Amino acid sequence: MRDAAVDREASSSGSARTVTSGRAVDLSHTLSPLRRGPGDPCYQVTRDGAHWLTARMPEGPVTYRLVQAGPCAVDARAWGAGATEFLDRLPWMLCLDEDLSGFDPTHPKIVEAHRRHPGLRMLRTGLVFEALVPAVLEQKVHTVSAHASWRRLVRQFGTTPPGPAPDGMRVAPDADGWRRIPSWTFHRANVGPQRSQTIVRAARVAESLERCTEMEPAAAARLLRSVPGIGEWTVAEISQRAFGDADALSVGDFHLAAIVGWTLLGRPIDDAAMVEYLEPLRPHRYRSVRLLSVSGQAHKPKFGPRTPITDHSWH
């Protein structure tokens, strides 16, 4: 990979940078794990194809706009106290330093997906608590319900984003903001006490959790799991977004094992069988699952109606 080409300018319209790579970069597929459903207040794609996101960098909030500028290039513009820090870290975030020399899948579907989508990168935001909260909201509930809770809480407790962000965007609360949300407000947002208490506990130690980015994966997992309510699945979901971990397999996901089984073997399997089957792909198990997903090959037959979405918020 060539060194990232840098083209910066500081003006009233924000700071800008272009990053390039010697290998393809598919911006839309790479960023998609950061989008928490339709209407996410922290992520919008405008009609011109630009990806607008907000985040809380260590130096402060940032609004950033990313545009595919060619097969191997991304144009970025950022506003806010965290803008310079964000732009400095952008090549790192998009995993332009990835080494795929050891990725050698043998299953025809994964091989074909990799051939068709060479620009899929892992994602490394370095923002642990930012990835933790929505992951906890998605624990053991329908994704639709979790996304609705995320929208409601961020709209209510988030802050106005810096710069010319599209209408309706917000910056998610910081750790102290999440910690101060009353239990009854979580309840009204359809977040049960187990998940809300996990978020509050994590918020109290958020500063120490951010150090996970400096640790080896096993040590980071131990630190994250020291927070009651955070287990293997949640650690994987955080690692996929905050650490760029290409091997972070979401063991314990309600659908994943069955999807992997039907897609690659033509039959359902359980978590243990999935882990055993994907072992030869280590350390690229999550990458392989993502490739199947973006290629449209991942599937699971529908055998009946979905389980109902439980809503306790009206009580």
Side-chain angles (χ1 to χ4, degrees):
M1 187 200 77
R2 297 193 305 266
D3 288 340
V6 181
D7 176 20
R8 300 183 183 178
E9 58 182 339
S11 69
S12 59
S13 58
S15 300
R17 176 176 190 178
T18 297
V19 296
T20 63
S21 172
R23 185 166 68 85
V25 183
D26 187 321
L27 184 65
S28 182
H29 283 148
T30 298
L31 292 178
S32 63
L34 293 182
R35 192 174 193 177
R36 304 294 181 165
D40 183 349
C42 302
Y43 192 150
Q44 284 195 32
V45 180
T46 49
R47 291 184 179 181
D48 60 357
H51 297 257
W52 289 82
L53 296 93
T54 63
R56 288 189 183 274
M57 306 298 294
E59 294 184 2
V62 62
T63 298
Y64 58 97
R65 178 182 184 270
L66 302 180
V67 178
Q68 189 85 52
C72 303
V74 173
D75 285 342
R77 191 171 291 274
W79 297 262
T84 298
E85 184 181 22
F86 170 78
L87 293 173
D88 285 344
R89 291 166 56 164
L90 182 58
W92 183 79
M93 171 182 167
L94 297 178
C95 292
L96 300 190
D97 57 345
E98 280 186 323
D99 179 5
L100 294 187
S101 59
F103 183 49
D104 187 26
T106 57
H107 194 288
K109 288 188 175 181
I110 303 177
V111 172
E112 176 63 11
H114 187 40
R115 185 191 68 80
R116 288 170 50 197
H117 299 279
L120 176 69
R121 303 297 186 110
M122 296 297 96
L123 195 62
R124 187 196 290 128
T125 66
L127 304 175
V128 178
F129 190 74
E130 178 187 272
L132 181 150
V133 173
V136 172
L137 290 176
E138 293 174 15
Q139 290 176 346
K140 299 181 181 179
V141 297
H142 280 278
T143 304
V144 171
S145 176
H147 288 166
S149 300
W150 170 254
R151 288 193 300 269
R152 179 167 179 169
L153 292 167
V154 173
R155 287 170 181 166
Q156 184 174 355
F157 296 99
T159 57
T160 302
D167 290 344
M169 292 198 73
R170 304 285 282 171
V171 181
D174 61 12
D176 191 57
W178 285 105
R179 184 177 65 82
R180 294 177 181 276
I181 295 176
S183 59
W184 59 85
T185 303
F186 274 115
H187 184 74
R188 290 170 184 162
N190 205 27
V191 180
Q194 181 173 347
R195 288 179 293 149
S196 64
Q197 289 168 13
T198 299
I199 290 172
V200 170
R201 283 192 292 262
R204 291 179 180 141
V205 295
E207 186 174 348
S208 65
L209 294 180
E210 296 298 337
R211 295 200 297 270
C212 287
T213 57
E214 305 167 3
M215 300 177 177
E216 293 296 321
R222 285 194 297 271
L223 179 55
L224 288 167
R225 295 187 70 169
S226 69
V227 179
I230 293 182
E232 183 177 13
W233 180 89
T234 307
V235 169
E237 294 289 308
I238 295 168
S239 301
Q240 292 160 11
R241 295 161 175 83
F243 308 150
D245 189 343
D247 200 52
L249 189 64
S250 296
V251 177
D253 189 273
F254 186 74
H255 301 286
L256 184 60
I259 290 173
V260 168
W262 280 108
T263 303
L264 299 181
L265 298 170
R267 56 180 172 82
I269 58 177
D270 60 15
D271 278 340
M274 176 183 68
V275 170
E276 180 180 1
Y277 185 75
L278 296 181
E279 180 63 26
L281 290 167
R282 190 185 291 272
H284 295 282
R285 295 177 300 169
Y286 171 60
R287 186 190 306 279
S288 300
V289 170
R290 288 279 291 132
L291 282 167
L292 292 173
S293 177
V294 302
S295 69
Q297 297 183 85
H299 74 281
K300 182 180 75 168
K302 297 179 180 179
F303 294 106
R306 295 180 63 185
T307 55
I309 298 175
T310 304
D311 184 356
H312 301 290
S313 61
W314 59 271
H315 287 288

